[in-house]
Amino acid sequence: MPRRERVMRMSVELPLWRALTGYRVLTTLYAIGLCATAYDHFVRPWIAVGYYAVLVVWTLATLPRVANAASCTRGFLAADLTVALTGILLTPLADNHERIAGGGPTLPSIWTAGAVLAYALKGGWRWAAVASTAVAAANLVERGGPARDTVHNVILVWVAAIAIGYVVEVARASERTLARALEIEAATRERERLARDIHDGVLQVLAMVQRRGADLGGEAAELGRLAGEQEAALRTLVSGGLLPVSRVSEDAADGAVVRAVEEPYDGEPDGPVDLRPLLARHAGARTGLAEPGAPVELPGPAARELAAAVGAALDNVRRHAGTGARAWILVEDEPDEIVVTVRDDGPGIPEGRLAQAEGEGRLGVAQSIRGRLRDLGGSAELISVPGQGTEVELKVPKGALRAPGEAERR
């Protein structure tokens, strides 16, 4: 059956790349505006005009390069920083000395910070420190010495770039941690789901073969013994073995990516389904069913999971309460929740038996019943008094009702 693959992209740095794109365009316009207002003061205005022509073409042509980390290659970063440094070093040739000594702006002005920030977003604080140092050296050469305003601007760019680079590194580490946590959660849920399915089918068949083989004797007894060994091995596997994760995280150009591979139900509708026919399949000579007169509608997957939990409870009755035990299913459609109760008149469950069974890998109650209800946002309560039978109460709050697996998809 075809699988559906959803890709969830988690990125803190992607908005920073978008902001950098806008910053480069705006600061290009700002630098040109500064030049226009002080055009008469330039001793060689044609140098400034030529540089700004190159700056505009370069900025517009390289906008895709600053869209994400993958496009922003090392070669581009080196060329981009070269454009900024060239503009700084050309400033003494284009502008007059008095303006420069008085703290006048360089030709690229604050556009230079965009080149440094690109280093910070791409490589973190270390790359930002290298680019900031190069810009600082170019500014000192342009001014001819460490003037107060120059040192102030250099330190400001240096600190800001390093801080942003450090934040980006922390964000990337957090994204990887979150992606790994989602992997573990998905693997756990997938293991629980497979454990329920295996318990409802394969394990019970193997247990039946073991019992019947022991009763028949002969070659059938050997077959039963082998079935018992496989049952024990399979229980160990599903209770603690490793299963393939349903999500795979990876580092991408614009953030961590988590791919969720979902198995749709076998062609069954996901719309509202009446719970009563699903439970009626479990009714029989020794199993009674009491239900409301009106439909008890649930989302398709949720109704099937709830019916499967009821089936698992009845399987426990047949296996542990004896062939003569009777069971009753009671369905209650309350205003705030749906309650399905399974009662039997068997001998009950000895104290501590459930914990012991779970330790042995017998997951009938832990996964097939409680696990299913937990995935639905509900709860399963088991009450048993030795000699007075067992009652399993399954509650699903309507406000929290969701299809299996929807919790981790949000």
Side-chain angles (χ1 to χ4, degrees):
M1 180 166 198
R3 293 185 175 187
R4 298 195 303 265
E5 181 181 77
R6 285 184 306 103
V7 177
M8 298 178 294
R9 193 174 301 279
M10 303 174 299
S11 178
V12 175
E13 64 179 277
L14 185 57
L16 297 178
W17 285 107
R18 292 172 179 168
L20 178 60
T21 302
Y23 177 87
R24 288 167 66 89
V25 173
L26 293 176
T27 52
T28 300
L29 298 176
Y30 177 76
I32 294 174
L34 286 180
C35 175
T37 57
Y39 185 81
D40 295 337
H41 298 284
F42 281 88
V43 294
R44 297 181 183 88
W46 57 269
I47 295 179
V49 172
Y51 176 77
Y52 286 126
V54 173
L55 186 65
V56 170
V57 173
W58 174 260
T59 300
L60 296 179
T62 58
L63 288 181
R65 289 287 191 172
V66 290
N68 53 59
S71 302
C72 190
T73 62
R74 295 187 179 186
F76 163 74
L77 288 175
D80 197 53
L81 186 61
T82 299
V83 171
L85 298 179
T86 301
I88 295 173
L89 297 177
L90 284 177
T91 302
L93 300 178
D95 208 347
N96 64 62
H97 180 72
E98 289 74 14
R99 271 176 42 88
I100 294 175
T106 61
L107 291 181
S109 185
I110 57 175
W111 187 92
T112 305
V116 177
L117 292 176
Y119 271 83
L121 295 182
K122 174 67 176 182
W125 70 269
R126 293 176 180 83
W127 287 29
V130 172
S132 299
T133 301
V135 171
N139 275 278
L140 292 176
V141 171
E142 182 258 346
R143 291 295 298 272
R148 180 177 179 180
D149 56 344
T150 302
V151 173
H152 177 271
N153 292 335
V154 165
I155 292 178
L156 181 63
V157 172
W158 202 28
V159 172
I162 291 177
I164 291 177
Y166 178 75
V167 169
V168 170
E169 289 185 359
V170 172
R172 286 173 178 162
S174 300
E175 286 169 357
R176 289 192 293 268
T177 302
L178 177 58
R180 179 55 182 161
L182 290 175
E183 284 183 15
I184 295 173
E185 178 193 7
T188 301
R189 289 187 177 276
E190 181 69 3
R191 184 168 63 197
E192 291 177 354
R193 184 186 67 81
L194 291 180
R196 290 195 294 264
D197 293 343
I198 291 172
H199 177 272
D200 292 347
V202 180
L203 290 178
Q204 295 197 22
V205 171
L206 290 175
M208 183 183 68
V209 171
Q210 181 185 20
R211 291 194 302 271
R212 292 292 295 163
D215 294 340
L216 294 174
E219 294 183 358
E222 177 62 16
L223 180 62
R225 184 186 66 81
L226 294 175
E229 292 177 355
Q230 293 303 309
E231 180 198 10
L234 191 55
R235 287 188 186 279
T236 300
L237 178 64
V238 299
S239 62
L242 295 177
L243 296 176
V245 297
S246 61
R247 302 184 185 189
V248 179
S249 71
E250 59 188 40
D251 292 331
D254 47 0
V257 171
V258 176
R259 285 191 172 88
V261 180
E262 300 170 3
E263 288 278 7
Y265 288 87
D266 299 334
E268 299 182 61
D270 288 346
V273 172
D274 188 358
L275 179 64
R276 298 177 303 166
L278 299 179
L279 297 181
R281 302 173 186 173
H282 300 296
R286 308 197 68 81
T287 303
L289 174 62
E291 59 188 25
V296 181
E297 292 188 342
L298 298 174
R304 289 186 286 272
E305 286 293 284
L306 184 54
V310 172
L314 293 173
D315 286 337
N316 285 337
V317 174
R318 286 189 288 269
R319 293 184 59 184
H320 304 297
T323 56
R326 292 183 57 85
W328 297 268
I329 305 172
L330 173 62
V331 183
E332 301 172 90
D333 191 357
E334 301 291 344
D336 298 329
E337 63 183 2
I338 294 173
V339 182
V340 179
T341 305
V342 180
R343 299 189 183 97
D344 67 69
D345 60 358
I349 302 175
E351 185 177 355
R353 178 65 186 119
L354 290 179
Q356 179 184 356
E358 187 172 348
E360 295 172 352
R362 302 182 180 276
L363 307 176
V365 174
Q367 296 295 346
S368 295
I369 299 178
R370 286 176 176 158
R372 280 190 166 100
L373 269 293
R374 182 182 64 248
D375 287 350
L376 292 176
S379 62
E381 183 177 358
L382 190 145
I383 303 172
S384 181
V385 179
Q388 298 183 25
T390 301
E391 176 179 307
V392 179
E393 188 176 63
L394 311 176
K395 294 182 179 181
V396 180
K398 292 182 178 179
L401 192 59
R402 55 180 180 264
E406 183 178 339
E408 65 266 25
R409 295 199 295 268
R410 290 182 177 176

